[in-house]
Amino acid sequence: MRMASKSLLLLLLGFQSVSAMSESATAMKQVLDNMFLQYDKALRPYYGEKPTHVGITAYVLSIDSFDETNLDFTMTFYFRQTWDDPRLTFRPQQQSRGRGQSIPNHILLDDVRAKLIWRPDTFFVKEKTSHLHRTTIMNEFVRIQTNGSVLIASRYTVKSACPLDMQFFPFDTQTCSLEIESFGTTMNDTVYYWAKGEDSFGASKDVMIPGMTFVGHNIRALEISLNTGNYSRLVMSLELQRNYGYYILRCYVPMATFVLISLLTLIFTNTILEPLIHVITISVLIWHSNESWIGKLPMVSYINALILYFLICLAHLLLSLFFELGLGISIHTTNSKG
């Protein structure tokens, strides 16, 4: 009898729990249905009253590539947009059957309802290619607070143009920027701002770039004037410093070796060592011309630090060659007269 009473009690508790869960789910569904009953996503928040202010934050996960040849860089980052939409406000708790049915202070929208709300037409100004990650699910969520504050968080990988100044290559520091702007709405409708001030943009400590070192970042807010109006633009800049150790070993040291060998040919002229020095010089030149680093040099129309160093070394080699040639002609002429 006692066992039967316990079983009946457990059954009643389970039924009440399921009933409470069902009532909470019903209350949540009612909140969502009421929220989108007369909602029109074609109209932005505060339409006809004031511009919609969109706050931006970003967090860099990795810088995947830095390409001097194509003048671009690729990075993966979290991108968050937030704004207020009074039409999406709701009560965190509703009364039902005399009991308070718990409604959370925020709602995560599913993929279907997420497409029903207004979104800013944000784009990356210098973007070449980009994609929103979708493994194992779409890496994006939409969260709405009770006061109508909307947050969209996404994970993107973006390849963006990066104009380079290679005058001091390979001892250069480059600044690559990712610029954010509204594609179609001017500042009369949409204004972007950094949601957390200077803390709006951050980067993981694990960020590493092949051949470069990530040394810092900064953010700016600009007003851009175009033919179609004034647009709000946010700029996040990354400072990348080149690791020049590779070029020291593969470029500067070999060329310095060539110059040293050319000096040796002048010192040991008309000795048994001269042919050996010439053989060594030719061998080193052949090896150096086959080095893969040559294809990694930036293709620019102006002279940079590395090219200037090459020209100085080449001039020294040519002067040594002409000096030795002139000396040989002079000796041959003297011997002919004698």
Side-chain angles (χ1 to χ4, degrees):
M1 185 69 178
R2 183 174 299 177
M3 292 296 296
S5 299
K6 288 184 177 180
S7 299
L8 181 60
L9 179 61
L10 291 174
L11 182 62
L12 290 175
L13 291 174
F15 177 77
Q16 290 179 356
S17 176
V18 172
S19 177
M21 291 176 61
S22 177
E23 290 179 359
S24 296
T26 301
M28 176 64 73
K29 184 178 184 303
Q30 184 178 0
V31 168
L32 292 172
D33 290 342
N34 293 337
M35 184 180 295
F36 294 102
L37 186 61
Q38 296 180 340
Y39 190 91
D40 186 357
K41 70 175 185 178
L43 298 178
R44 65 173 179 83
Y46 303 106
Y47 181 81
E49 300 178 18
K50 61 180 182 179
T52 302
H53 288 75
V54 180
I56 300 293
T57 61
Y59 185 79
V60 177
L61 298 172
S62 64
I63 300 178
D64 307 309
S65 67
F66 179 79
D67 192 343
E68 296 97 339
T69 304
N70 296 316
L71 301 180
D72 58 39
F73 75 107
T74 303
M75 73 175 185
T76 300
F77 59 100
Y78 291 132
F79 184 64
R80 305 180 185 92
Q81 304 177 83
T82 182
W83 64 91
D84 292 332
D85 192 337
R87 298 170 296 178
L88 299 177
T89 57
F90 64 94
R91 294 181 180 179
Q93 191 177 50
Q94 292 185 347
Q95 296 296 325
S96 176
R97 300 180 183 178
R99 294 176 299 179
Q101 299 302 324
S102 177
I103 301 296
N105 58 5
H106 69 269
I107 298 175
L108 288 175
L109 297 184
D110 57 79
D111 294 342
V112 176
R113 287 189 173 90
K115 297 178 181 179
L116 300 179
I117 67 171
W118 176 89
R119 295 189 181 198
D121 56 344
T122 308
F123 82 110
F124 303 108
V125 179
K126 297 181 179 180
E127 169 208 341
K128 291 186 176 180
T129 60
S130 67
H131 67 271
L132 174 66
H133 289 262
R134 298 179 179 273
T135 306
T136 57
I137 60 172
M138 185 169 65
N139 294 183
E140 181 178 79
F141 70 83
V142 179
R143 186 170 66 196
I144 301 177
Q145 302 286 351
T146 56
N147 60 356
S149 176
V150 182
L151 169 67
I152 296 182
S154 314
R155 185 165 74 101
Y156 284 102
T157 292
V158 177
K159 176 185 288 187
S160 179
C162 180
L164 304 179
D165 182 3
M166 308 296 291
Q167 293 185 20
F168 298 101
F169 176 88
F171 307 103
D172 56 324
T173 299
Q174 302 295 337
T175 301
C176 294
S177 301
L178 192 66
E179 301 181 359
I180 304 161
E181 187 179 308
S182 170
F183 188 79
T185 57
T186 65
M187 295 186 67
N188 294 328
D189 295 306
T190 306
V191 175
Y192 290 92
Y193 69 97
W194 292 110
K196 297 182 179 181
E198 294 295 328
D199 297 329
S200 299
F201 183 62
S204 171
K205 296 180 180 179
D206 299 327
V207 170
M208 298 181 65
I209 315 103
M212 306 291 286
T213 299
F214 178 57
V215 295
H217 62 271
N218 60 77
I219 57 177
R220 291 177 293 159
L222 305 175
E223 180 178 342
I224 304 300
S225 297
L226 303 175
N227 293 334
T228 52
N230 295 338
Y231 293 83
S232 176
R233 178 180 297 181
L234 299 183
V235 181
M236 45 185 173
S237 301
L238 308 175
E239 294 184 9
L240 308 175
Q241 187 177 58
R242 191 177 306 278
N243 300 327
Y244 51 79
Y246 173 87
Y247 297 94
I248 293 293
L249 294 176
R250 294 299 182 91
C251 304
Y252 285 86
V253 172
M255 291 301 295
T257 303
F258 299 156
V259 174
L260 178 61
I261 292 175
S262 68
L263 292 175
L264 292 177
T265 60
L266 298 179
I267 296 173
F268 296 100
T269 302
N270 296 325
T271 67
I272 193 174
L273 295 177
E274 184 178 3
L276 178 60
I277 294 173
H278 285 299
V279 171
I280 295 175
T281 304
I282 294 173
S283 300
V284 175
L285 283 173
I286 293 174
W287 166 79
H288 195 58
S289 63
N290 292 328
E291 277 294 284
S292 60
W293 63 265
I294 296 177
K296 299 180 181 179
L297 293 178
M299 301 175 64
V300 294
S301 59
Y302 50 85
I303 296 177
N304 56 44
L306 183 58
I307 297 300
L308 180 60
Y309 177 78
F310 279 179
L311 292 177
I312 293 174
C313 292
L314 181 60
H316 190 281
L317 293 173
L318 291 176
L319 288 175
S320 299
L321 177 62
F322 291 148
F323 178 81
E324 187 174 353
L325 181 61
L327 183 61
I329 293 175
S330 176
I331 294 174
H332 178 72
T333 303
T334 303
N335 292 337
S336 299
K337 292 180 179 180

